[in-house]
Amino acid sequence: MNITGDVYLVGGPSLSDGSDAAIYLVKGKSGSALVDAGTGDGHDRVMKNIQEAGVRPADITYIFLTHCHYDHTGGAHLLRSATGARTVAHELDAEFIETADPEVTAASWYRARMEPVKVDVKVETAEARFDAGGTEITMYHTPGHSPGSSVLTMRSGGALVLFGQDVHGPLNDSLRSSRADYVRSLEFLLSLEADILCEGHFGVFSGRDKVRRFIESFL
Ligand SMILES: [Zn+2]
Ligand SMILES: [Zn+2]
């Protein structure tokens, strides 16, 4: 499903598997990137959707993991081997992804077994920039929902696109959430003044006012 000229939705409950969080594809000029990886249960459909968007698996250079939760990362090991792309996550969530921690990744909540996957690029800074086939993608550390939760931004045809994923939370002790960090991160997201918000479970919000109102509803 095409969201902008170079952003596609390739995974999610209606597209790949009922438990998958949204998987977005950023199509660059000379390479592409994925935002999150779903559970892995809908892997074949995700691969088909990527190809239908006109992207060859080998063109994908990065798999950005916004945080460690199973509905976003369970399929990362399959996508990493199918594409040869490098996985990227904030260092504070990377350890839970690499050890497939059943509690902190929420895999136990899904009654599933998380497969460990190597995180090739562990981001240690509050902000990091990546070149995905000629498209600049910025990753920001926005803790709260999980310690290493992150969001990504890019420009698409003049619009600032924010991949916020689990903007809505929830916050839970077993997920090592922090309300104080979460509130600070939501305020930071508001300061970005994004034109389009791609959320992990609530769809796509277009227009600065709609994006702002959705983020503010959790403050
Ligand atoms: Zn989550
Ligand atoms: Zn989620």
Side-chain angles (χ1 to χ4, degrees):
M1 194 179 101
N2 206 185
I3 294 164
T4 71
D6 42 13
V7 178
Y8 295 76
L9 180 66
V10 294
S14 62
L15 285 174
S16 50
D17 184 81
S19 296
D20 282 355
I23 306 170
Y24 295 98
L25 172 71
V26 177
K27 198 172 165 182
K29 284 190 182 68
S30 59
S32 296
L34 289 170
V35 178
D36 283 340
T39 60
D41 288 342
H43 174 71
D44 293 344
R45 271 158 287 169
V46 175
M47 292 304 293
K48 190 168 157 276
N49 293 338
I50 290 170
Q51 273 152 328
E52 280 178 5
V55 170
R56 290 177 306 166
D59 292 339
I60 297 173
T61 51
Y62 288 115
I63 302 167
F64 294 102
L65 301 172
T66 58
H67 62 297
C68 66
H69 297 162
Y70 172 73
D71 50 327
H72 301 256
T73 59
H77 68 292
L78 294 171
L79 286 170
R80 183 174 177 267
S81 48
T83 61
R86 292 199 289 165
T87 46
V88 183
H90 191 273
E91 61 167 350
L92 291 179
D93 270 26
E95 73 168 280
F96 305 122
I97 296 168
E98 290 193 323
T99 60
D101 185 298
E103 190 186 26
V104 186
T105 65
S108 56
W109 189 85
Y110 285 91
R111 297 172 199 276
R113 206 173 74 85
M114 168 95 177
E115 285 292 329
V117 60
K118 183 173 160 48
V119 177
D120 300 296
V121 183
K122 297 180 180 77
V123 176
E124 298 171 7
T125 49
E127 184 180 333
R129 281 170 209 275
F130 296 87
D131 178 358
T135 300
E136 185 177 84
I137 296 181
T138 308
M139 189 166 181
Y140 297 99
H141 182 212
T142 51
H145 176 52
S146 74
S149 279
S150 300
V151 300
L152 301 150
T153 63
M154 63 172 278
R155 290 247 160 225
S156 178
L160 183 70
V161 181
L162 168 62
F163 298 98
Q165 297 298 54
D166 286 3
V167 168
H168 63 281
L171 306 180
N172 190 296
D173 283 344
S174 72
L175 304 178
R176 310 209 183 170
S177 304
S178 155
R179 174 154 292 278
D181 286 349
Y182 179 66
V183 168
R184 261 194 302 273
S185 292
L186 290 183
E187 279 161 358
F188 171 73
L189 294 189
L190 287 172
S191 76
L192 293 173
E193 300 192 325
D195 301 296
I196 298 171
L197 168 65
C198 296
E199 226 269 353
H201 302 270
F202 284 82
V204 177
F205 297 82
S206 282
R208 260 186 216 192
D209 283 350
K210 277 190 191 150
V211 172
R212 180 176 47 76
R213 278 199 296 272
F214 179 76
I215 298 169
E216 277 177 349
S217 72
F218 300 99
L219 274 169

